[in-house]
Coordinates of all heavy atoms in Angstrom, one line a residue:
M1 N 151.5 114.5 89.0 CA 150.7 114.2 90.2 C 149.3 114.2 89.8 O 148.5 113.4 90.3 CB 151.0 115.1 91.3 CG 150.2 114.9 92.5 SD 151.3 115.0 93.9 CE 150.2 114.6 95.2
R2 N 148.9 115.1 89.0 CA 147.5 115.2 88.6 C 147.0 114.0 87.8 O 145.9 113.5 88.0 CB 147.3 116.5 87.7 CG 145.9 116.9 87.6 CD 145.8 118.3 87.1 NE 144.5 118.7 87.4 CZ 144.0 119.8 86.9 NH1 144.7 120.6 86.2 NH2 142.8 120.2 87.2
S3 N 147.8 113.4 86.9 CA 147.4 112.3 86.2 C 147.3 111.0 87.1 O 146.5 110.2 86.8 CB 148.4 112.0 85.0 OG 149.7 111.8 85.5
A4 N 148.1 111.0 88.1 CA 148.0 109.9 89.1 C 146.7 109.9 89.8 O 146.1 108.9 90.1 CB 149.2 109.9 90.1
S5 N 146.2 111.1 90.2 CA 145.0 111.3 90.9 C 143.8 110.9 90.0 O 142.9 110.2 90.4 CB 144.7 112.7 91.3 OG 145.7 113.1 92.3
L6 N 143.9 111.3 88.7 CA 142.9 110.9 87.7 C 142.8 109.4 87.5 O 141.7 108.8 87.5 CB 143.1 111.7 86.4 CG 142.1 111.4 85.3 CD1 140.7 111.8 85.7 CD2 142.5 112.1 84.0
A7 N 144.0 108.8 87.5 CA 144.0 107.4 87.3 C 143.4 106.7 88.5 O 142.7 105.7 88.4 CB 145.5 106.9 87.1
A8 N 143.6 107.2 89.7 CA 143.1 106.6 90.9 C 141.5 106.7 90.9 O 140.8 105.8 91.3 CB 143.7 107.2 92.2
V9 N 141.0 107.9 90.5 CA 139.6 108.1 90.5 C 139.0 107.2 89.4 O 137.9 106.6 89.7 CB 139.3 109.6 90.2 CG1 137.8 109.8 89.9 CG2 139.7 110.4 91.4
L10 N 139.5 107.1 88.3 CA 139.0 106.3 87.2 C 139.0 104.8 87.6 O 138.1 104.0 87.3 CB 139.7 106.5 85.9 CG 139.5 107.8 85.2 CD1 140.4 108.0 84.0 CD2 138.0 108.0 84.9
G11 N 140.1 104.4 88.3 CA 140.2 103.0 88.8 C 139.1 102.7 89.8 O 138.5 101.6 89.8
A12 N 138.9 103.6 90.7 CA 137.8 103.4 91.7 C 136.4 103.4 91.1 O 135.6 102.6 91.5 CB 137.9 104.6 92.8
A13 N 136.2 104.2 90.1 CA 134.9 104.2 89.4 C 134.7 102.9 88.7 O 133.6 102.4 88.7 CB 134.8 105.4 88.4
A14 N 135.7 102.4 88.0 CA 135.6 101.1 87.3 C 135.3 100.0 88.3 O 134.5 99.1 88.0 CB 136.9 100.8 86.5
L15 N 136.0 100.0 89.5 CA 135.7 99.0 90.5 C 134.3 99.1 91.0 O 133.6 98.1 91.2 CB 136.7 99.2 91.6 CG 136.5 98.2 92.8 CD1 136.7 96.7 92.3 CD2 137.5 98.5 93.9
A16 N 133.8 100.3 91.2 CA 132.4 100.5 91.7 C 131.4 99.9 90.7 O 130.4 99.3 91.1 CB 132.1 101.9 92.0
V17 N 131.6 100.2 89.4 CA 130.7 99.7 88.4 C 130.8 98.2 88.3 O 129.8 97.5 88.2 CB 131.0 100.3 87.0 CG1 130.3 99.6 85.9 CG2 130.7 101.8 87.1
A18 N 132.0 97.6 88.4 CA 132.1 96.2 88.4 C 131.5 95.5 89.5 O 130.9 94.4 89.4 CB 133.6 95.8 88.4
L19 N 131.4 96.1 90.7 CA 130.8 95.6 91.9 C 129.3 95.9 91.9 O 128.6 95.4 92.9 CB 131.5 96.1 93.1 CG 132.9 95.7 93.3 CD1 133.5 96.3 94.6 CD2 133.0 94.1 93.4
G20 N 128.8 96.6 91.0 CA 127.4 96.9 91.0 C 127.0 98.1 91.8 O 125.8 98.4 91.9
A21 N 127.9 98.9 92.3 CA 127.6 100.1 93.1 C 127.5 101.3 92.1 O 128.4 102.1 92.1 CB 128.7 100.3 94.1
V22 N 126.5 101.3 91.3 CA 126.4 102.4 90.3 C 125.9 103.6 91.0 O 124.9 103.6 91.8 CB 125.3 102.0 89.2 CG1 125.1 103.1 88.2 CG2 125.8 100.7 88.5
P23 N 126.5 104.8 90.8 CA 126.1 106.0 91.5 C 124.6 106.3 91.1 O 124.2 106.1 90.0 CB 127.0 107.1 90.8 CG 128.2 106.3 90.4 CD 127.7 105.0 90.0
G24 N 123.8 106.7 92.1 CA 122.4 107.0 92.0 C 121.5 105.8 92.1 O 120.3 106.0 92.1
Q25 N 122.1 104.6 92.3 CA 121.3 103.5 92.4 C 120.7 103.4 93.9 O 121.5 103.6 94.8 CB 122.1 102.2 92.1 CG 121.3 100.9 92.2 CD 122.1 99.7 91.9 OE1 123.4 99.8 91.8 NE2 121.5 98.6 91.7
A26 N 119.4 103.2 94.0 CA 118.8 103.1 95.3 C 119.4 101.9 96.1 O 119.6 100.8 95.6 CB 117.3 103.0 95.2
A27 N 119.6 102.1 97.4 CA 120.0 101.1 98.3 C 118.8 100.2 98.6 O 117.7 100.6 98.6 CB 120.6 101.7 99.6
A28 N 119.1 98.9 99.0 CA 118.0 98.0 99.4 C 117.4 98.5 100.7 O 118.1 99.1 101.5 CB 118.6 96.6 99.5
A29 N 116.2 98.2 100.9 CA 115.5 98.6 102.1 C 116.1 97.8 103.3 O 116.6 96.7 103.2 CB 114.0 98.3 102.1
D30 N 116.1 98.5 104.5 CA 116.6 97.8 105.7 C 115.7 96.7 106.1 O 116.1 95.6 106.5 CB 116.7 98.8 106.8 CG 117.8 99.9 106.6 OD1 118.8 99.6 106.1 OD2 117.5 101.1 106.8
A31 N 114.4 96.9 106.0 CA 113.4 95.9 106.3 C 112.4 95.7 105.2 O 112.0 96.7 104.6 CB 112.6 96.3 107.6
V32 N 112.1 94.5 104.8 CA 111.1 94.2 103.8 C 110.0 93.3 104.4 O 110.3 92.3 105.1 CB 111.7 93.4 102.6 CG1 110.7 93.1 101.6 CG2 112.9 94.3 102.0
C33 N 108.7 93.8 104.2 CA 107.6 93.1 104.9 C 106.6 92.6 103.8 O 106.4 93.2 102.8 CB 106.9 94.1 105.8 SG 107.9 94.7 107.1
F34 N 106.0 91.4 104.1 CA 105.1 90.9 103.1 C 103.9 91.8 103.0 O 103.4 92.0 101.9 CB 104.7 89.5 103.6 CG 103.7 88.8 102.7 CD1 104.1 88.3 101.5 CD2 102.3 88.8 103.0 CE1 103.2 87.7 100.6 CE2 101.4 88.2 102.2 CZ 101.8 87.6 101.0
S35 N 103.3 92.2 104.1 CA 102.1 93.1 104.1 C 102.2 94.1 105.2 O 103.1 94.0 106.1 CB 100.8 92.3 104.2 OG 100.8 91.6 105.4
G36 N 101.3 95.0 105.2 CA 101.3 96.0 106.3 C 100.2 97.0 106.2 O 99.3 96.9 105.3
G37 N 100.2 98.0 107.0 CA 99.2 99.1 107.0 C 99.9 100.4 107.3 O 101.0 100.4 107.8
R38 N 99.2 101.5 107.1 CA 99.7 102.8 107.4 C 98.6 103.7 107.9 O 97.5 103.6 107.4 CB 100.4 103.4 106.2 CG 99.5 103.8 105.1 CD 100.3 104.4 103.9 NE 99.4 104.8 102.9 CZ 99.6 104.7 101.6 NH1 100.8 104.3 101.2 NH2 98.7 105.0 100.7
T39 N 98.9 104.6 108.8 CA 98.0 105.5 109.3 C 98.6 106.9 109.2 O 99.7 107.1 109.6 CB 97.7 105.2 110.8 OG1 97.3 103.9 111.0 CG2 96.7 106.2 111.4
P40 N 97.9 107.8 108.5 CA 98.4 109.2 108.4 C 98.5 109.9 109.8 O 97.6 109.7 110.6 CB 97.4 109.9 107.5 CG 96.4 108.9 107.0 CD 96.6 107.7 107.8
T41 N 99.6 110.6 110.0 CA 99.8 111.3 111.3 C 99.9 112.8 111.1 O 100.2 113.5 112.0 CB 101.1 110.7 112.0 OG1 102.2 110.9 111.2 CG2 100.9 109.3 112.4
G42 N 99.7 113.2 109.9 CA 99.7 114.7 109.6 C 101.0 115.1 108.9 O 102.1 114.5 109.1
G43 N 100.9 116.2 108.2 CA 102.1 116.7 107.5 C 102.8 115.8 106.5 O 104.0 116.0 106.2
G44 N 102.0 114.9 105.9 CA 102.6 114.0 104.9 C 103.3 112.8 105.5 O 103.9 112.0 104.8
Y45 N 103.2 112.6 106.8 CA 103.9 111.5 107.5 C 102.9 110.3 107.8 O 101.7 110.6 108.0 CB 104.5 111.9 108.8 CG 105.7 112.8 108.6 CD1 105.6 114.2 108.6 CD2 107.0 112.3 108.3 CE1 106.6 115.0 108.4 CE2 108.0 113.1 108.1 CZ 107.9 114.5 108.1 OH 109.0 115.3 107.9
Y46 N 103.4 109.1 108.0 CA 102.6 108.0 108.3 C 103.2 107.2 109.5 O 104.4 107.2 109.7 CB 102.6 107.0 107.1 CG 101.9 107.5 105.9 CD1 102.6 108.1 104.9 CD2 100.5 107.5 105.8 CE1 102.0 108.6 103.7 CE2 99.9 108.0 104.7 CZ 100.6 108.5 103.6 OH 100.0 109.0 102.5
E47 N 102.4 106.5 110.2 CA 102.8 105.4 111.1 C 102.6 104.1 110.3 O 101.5 103.9 109.8 CB 101.9 105.4 112.4 CG 102.3 104.4 113.4 CD 101.4 104.5 114.6 OE1 101.5 105.5 115.3 OE2 100.6 103.6 114.8
V48 N 103.6 103.3 110.2 CA 103.6 102.1 109.4 C 103.7 100.9 110.2 O 104.6 100.9 111.2 CB 104.7 102.2 108.3 CG1 104.8 100.9 107.5 CG2 104.5 103.3 107.4
S49 N 102.9 99.9 109.9 CA 103.1 98.6 110.6 C 103.3 97.5 109.5 O 102.7 97.6 108.4 CB 101.9 98.2 111.4 OG 100.7 98.2 110.6
G50 N 104.1 96.5 109.8 CA 104.4 95.5 108.8 C 104.4 94.1 109.4 O 104.6 94.0 110.6
Y51 N 104.0 93.1 108.6 CA 103.9 91.8 109.0 C 104.7 90.9 108.1 O 104.7 91.1 106.9 CB 102.4 91.4 109.1 CG 101.6 92.4 109.8 CD1 100.9 93.3 109.1 CD2 101.6 92.4 111.2 CE1 100.2 94.3 109.8 CE2 100.9 93.4 111.9 CZ 100.2 94.3 111.2 OH 99.5 95.3 111.9
G52 N 105.2 89.8 108.6 CA 106.0 88.9 107.7 C 107.3 89.6 107.3 O 107.7 89.5 106.1
C53 N 108.0 90.3 108.2 CA 109.1 91.1 107.8 C 110.4 90.4 108.0 O 110.6 89.5 108.8 CB 109.1 92.4 108.7 SG 107.6 93.4 108.6
D54 N 111.4 90.8 107.2 CA 112.8 90.3 107.3 C 113.7 91.5 107.1 O 113.3 92.5 106.6 CB 113.0 89.3 106.1 CG 114.3 88.5 106.3 OD1 114.8 88.5 107.5 OD2 114.8 88.0 105.3
G55 N 114.9 91.4 107.7 CA 115.8 92.5 107.6 C 116.2 93.0 109.0 O 116.3 92.2 109.9
H56 N 116.4 94.3 109.1 CA 116.8 94.9 110.4 C 116.2 96.3 110.5 O 115.7 96.9 109.6 CB 118.3 94.9 110.5 CG 118.9 95.7 109.4 ND1 119.1 97.1 109.5 CD2 119.4 95.3 108.2 CE1 119.7 97.5 108.4 NE2 119.9 96.5 107.6
S57 N 116.1 96.7 111.8 CA 115.6 98.1 112.0 C 116.6 99.1 111.4 O 117.8 99.0 111.5 CB 115.5 98.3 113.5 OG 114.5 97.5 114.1
G58 N 116.0 100.0 110.7 CA 116.8 101.1 110.0 C 115.9 102.2 109.6 O 114.9 102.4 110.3
T59 N 116.2 102.9 108.6 CA 115.3 104.0 108.2 C 114.5 103.7 106.9 O 113.6 104.5 106.6 CB 116.2 105.3 107.9 OG1 117.1 105.0 106.9 CG2 116.8 105.7 109.2
S60 N 114.8 102.6 106.2 CA 114.1 102.3 105.0 C 113.2 101.1 105.2 O 113.7 100.0 105.6 CB 115.1 102.2 103.8 OG 114.4 101.8 102.7
V61 N 111.9 101.1 104.8 CA 111.0 100.0 104.9 C 110.3 99.8 103.6 O 109.8 100.8 103.0 CB 110.0 100.3 106.0 CG1 108.9 99.2 106.1 CG2 110.6 100.5 107.4
T62 N 110.2 98.6 103.1 CA 109.4 98.2 102.0 C 108.3 97.3 102.4 O 108.5 96.3 103.0 CB 110.3 97.6 100.9 OG1 111.2 98.5 100.4 CG2 109.4 97.2 99.7
I63 N 107.0 97.6 102.0 CA 105.9 96.8 102.2 C 105.5 96.2 100.8 O 105.3 97.0 99.9 CB 104.7 97.6 102.8 CG1 105.1 98.3 104.1 CG2 103.5 96.6 103.0 CD1 105.4 97.4 105.3
R64 N 105.5 94.9 100.6 CA 105.3 94.3 99.3 C 103.8 94.4 98.9 O 103.5 94.6 97.7 CB 105.8 92.9 99.3 CG 107.2 92.8 99.5 CD 107.9 93.1 98.2 NE 109.4 92.9 98.4 CZ 110.3 93.5 97.7 NH1 110.0 94.4 96.8 NH2 111.5 93.3 97.9
F65 N 102.8 94.0 99.7 CA 101.4 93.9 99.3 C 100.5 94.6 100.3 O 100.9 94.8 101.5 CB 101.1 92.4 99.3 CG 101.9 91.6 98.3 CD1 102.9 90.8 98.8 CD2 101.6 91.6 96.9 CE1 103.7 90.1 97.9 CE2 102.4 90.9 96.1 CZ 103.4 90.1 96.5
G66 N 99.3 94.9 99.9 CA 98.3 95.4 100.8 C 98.2 96.9 100.6 O 98.8 97.6 99.7
E67 N 97.3 97.5 101.4 CA 97.0 98.9 101.3 C 98.2 99.9 101.5 O 98.2 101.0 101.0 CB 96.0 99.3 102.4 CG 96.5 99.2 103.8 CD 95.5 99.7 104.9 OE1 94.5 99.0 105.0 OE2 95.8 100.7 105.5
A68 N 99.2 99.4 102.2 CA 100.4 100.2 102.5 C 101.6 99.9 101.6 O 102.7 100.3 101.8 CB 100.8 100.1 103.9
A69 N 101.4 99.1 100.5 CA 102.5 98.7 99.6 C 103.3 99.9 99.1 O 102.7 101.0 98.8 CB 101.9 98.0 98.4
G70 N 104.6 99.8 99.2 CA 105.5 100.9 98.8 C 106.7 100.9 99.6 O 107.0 100.0 100.5
T71 N 107.6 101.9 99.4 CA 108.8 102.0 100.1 C 108.8 103.3 100.9 O 108.3 104.4 100.4 CB 110.0 102.0 99.2 OG1 110.1 100.8 98.5 CG2 111.3 102.2 99.9
Y72 N 109.2 103.3 102.1 CA 109.1 104.4 103.0 C 110.5 104.8 103.6 O 111.3 103.9 103.9 CB 108.2 104.1 104.2 CG 106.8 103.8 103.8 CD1 106.4 102.5 103.4 CD2 105.8 104.7 103.9 CE1 105.1 102.2 103.0 CE2 104.5 104.4 103.5 CZ 104.2 103.2 103.1 OH 102.9 102.9 102.7
D73 N 110.7 106.0 103.8 CA 111.8 106.5 104.7 C 111.2 106.9 106.0 O 110.3 107.7 106.0 CB 112.5 107.7 104.0 CG 113.5 107.3 102.9 OD1 114.0 106.1 103.0 OD2 113.7 108.0 102.0
C74 N 111.8 106.3 107.1 CA 111.2 106.5 108.4 C 112.2 107.1 109.4 O 113.4 106.9 109.3 CB 110.7 105.2 108.9 SG 109.4 104.4 107.9
G75 N 111.7 107.9 110.3 CA 112.5 108.4 111.3 C 112.8 107.4 112.4 O 113.9 107.5 113.1
W76 N 112.0 106.4 112.6 CA 112.2 105.4 113.6 C 111.5 104.1 113.2 O 110.4 104.1 112.7 CB 111.5 105.9 114.9 CG 111.6 104.9 116.0 CD1 112.6 104.8 117.0 CD2 110.6 104.0 116.4 NE1 112.2 103.8 117.8 CE2 111.0 103.3 117.5 CE3 109.3 103.6 115.8 CZ2 110.3 102.2 118.1 CZ3 108.6 102.6 116.4 CH2 109.1 101.9 117.5
T77 N 112.2 103.0 113.4 CA 111.6 101.7 113.1 C 112.0 100.7 114.2 O 113.1 100.8 114.8 CB 112.1 101.1 111.7 OG1 113.5 100.8 111.8 CG2 111.8 102.0 110.6
F78 N 111.2 99.7 114.4 CA 111.5 98.6 115.3 C 111.0 97.3 114.7 O 109.8 97.2 114.3 CB 110.8 98.8 116.7 CG 111.2 97.8 117.7 CD1 112.5 97.8 118.2 CD2 110.3 96.8 118.0 CE1 112.8 96.8 119.2 CE2 110.6 95.9 119.0 CZ 111.9 95.9 119.5
L79 N 111.9 96.3 114.5 CA 111.5 95.0 114.0 C 111.8 94.0 115.0 O 112.9 93.8 115.6 CB 112.4 94.8 112.7 CG 112.2 93.5 112.0 CD1 110.8 93.4 111.4 CD2 113.2 93.4 110.8
W80 N 110.7 93.2 115.2 CA 110.8 92.1 116.2 C 109.9 91.0 115.8 O 108.7 91.2 115.6 CB 110.5 92.6 117.6 CG 110.6 91.6 118.7 CD1 109.6 90.9 119.3 CD2 111.8 91.2 119.3 NE1 110.1 90.1 120.2 CE2 111.5 90.2 120.3 CE3 113.1 91.5 119.1 CZ2 112.4 89.6 121.1 CZ3 114.1 90.9 119.9 CH2 113.7 89.9 120.9
N81 N 110.4 89.7 115.8 CA 109.5 88.6 115.5 C 108.7 88.7 114.2 O 107.5 88.4 114.2 CB 108.6 88.2 116.7 CG 109.4 87.6 117.8 OD1 110.4 87.0 117.7 ND2 108.8 87.7 119.0
S82 N 109.4 89.2 113.2 CA 108.7 89.4 111.9 C 107.7 90.5 111.8 O 106.9 90.5 110.9 CB 108.2 88.1 111.3 OG 109.2 87.1 111.2
Q83 N 107.6 91.3 112.9 CA 106.6 92.4 112.9 C 107.4 93.7 113.0 O 108.4 93.8 113.7 CB 105.6 92.3 114.0 CG 104.7 91.0 113.8 CD 103.7 91.0 114.9 OE1 103.6 91.8 115.8 NE2 102.8 90.0 114.8
L84 N 106.9 94.7 112.3 CA 107.6 96.0 112.3 C 106.6 97.1 112.7 O 105.4 97.1 112.4 CB 108.0 96.3 110.8 CG 108.7 97.6 110.6 CD1 110.1 97.5 110.0 CD2 107.8 98.5 109.7
G85 N 107.2 98.1 113.4 CA 106.5 99.3 113.7 C 107.4 100.4 113.3 O 108.6 100.4 113.5
A86 N 106.9 101.5 112.7 CA 107.7 102.6 112.3 C 106.9 103.9 112.4 O 105.7 103.9 112.2 CB 108.1 102.4 110.8
D87 N 107.6 105.0 112.7 CA 107.0 106.3 112.9 C 107.7 107.3 112.0 O 108.9 107.1 111.6 CB 107.1 106.8 114.3 CG 106.0 106.2 115.2 OD1 104.9 105.9 114.7 OD2 106.2 106.1 116.4
N88 N 107.0 108.4 111.8 CA 107.6 109.6 111.0 C 108.1 109.1 109.6 O 109.2 109.4 109.2 CB 108.7 110.2 111.7 CG 108.2 110.9 113.0 OD1 107.1 111.4 113.0 ND2 109.1 111.0 114.0
C89 N 107.2 108.3 108.9 CA 107.5 107.7 107.6 C 107.0 108.6 106.5 O 105.8 109.1 106.6 CB 107.0 106.3 107.5 SG 107.6 105.2 108.7
T90 N 107.7 108.7 105.4 CA 107.2 109.3 104.2 C 107.3 108.3 103.1 O 108.2 107.5 103.0 CB 108.1 110.5 103.8 OG1 109.4 110.2 103.6 CG2 107.9 111.7 104.8
L91 N 106.3 108.2 102.2 CA 106.2 107.3 101.1 C 107.1 107.8 100.0 O 107.0 108.9 99.5 CB 104.8 107.2 100.6 CG 104.5 106.2 99.5 CD1 104.8 104.8 99.9 CD2 103.0 106.3 99.1
T92 N 108.1 107.0 99.6 CA 109.1 107.4 98.6 C 108.8 106.7 97.2 O 109.2 107.3 96.2 CB 110.5 107.1 99.0 OG1 110.6 105.7 99.2 CG2 110.9 107.9 100.3
S93 N 108.1 105.6 97.2 CA 107.7 105.0 95.9 C 106.6 104.0 96.1 O 106.4 103.5 97.2 CB 108.9 104.3 95.2 OG 109.4 103.3 96.0

């Protein structure tokens, strides 16, 4: 029974690698914006705004160009008509 479990785990790991789901690989951002800005709100958090955005509201935001370029993890985001607003964001890269 133990060898069957090991075979199942190894098979699942091989499938994950084949599909590109490598453990530890960062997930794609929920929303990606062409440009944006950020305002410090204290405690290492930012309020982030983005323009020319694509994707969906979630917790991860990437700003490609401008003063706020980088990837953020946010507590709240809202994406509408290619514009994004986000609060309680921390810069992750």
Side-chain angles (χ1 to χ4, degrees):
M1 178 133 185
R2 195 166 197 189
S3 61
S5 297
L6 180 59
V9 169
L10 291 176
L15 179 61
V17 170
L19 294 176
V22 178
Q25 183 178 11
D30 294 318
V32 177
C33 303
F34 180 78
S35 65
R38 69 177 179 219
T39 304
T41 58
Y45 291 95
Y46 297 96
E47 180 180 291
V48 175
S49 57
Y51 310 99
C53 304
D54 192 19
H56 59 89
S57 295
T59 59
S60 179
V61 175
T62 297
I63 306 291
R64 295 281 184 210
F65 301 101
E67 68 177 64
T71 300
Y72 300 84
D73 282 330
C74 301
W76 175 88
T77 64
F78 184 74
L79 181 62
W80 183 258
N81 287 336
S82 298
Q83 295 186 359
L84 174 123
D87 279 331
N88 295 330
C89 300
T90 56
L91 183 62
T92 59
S93 65

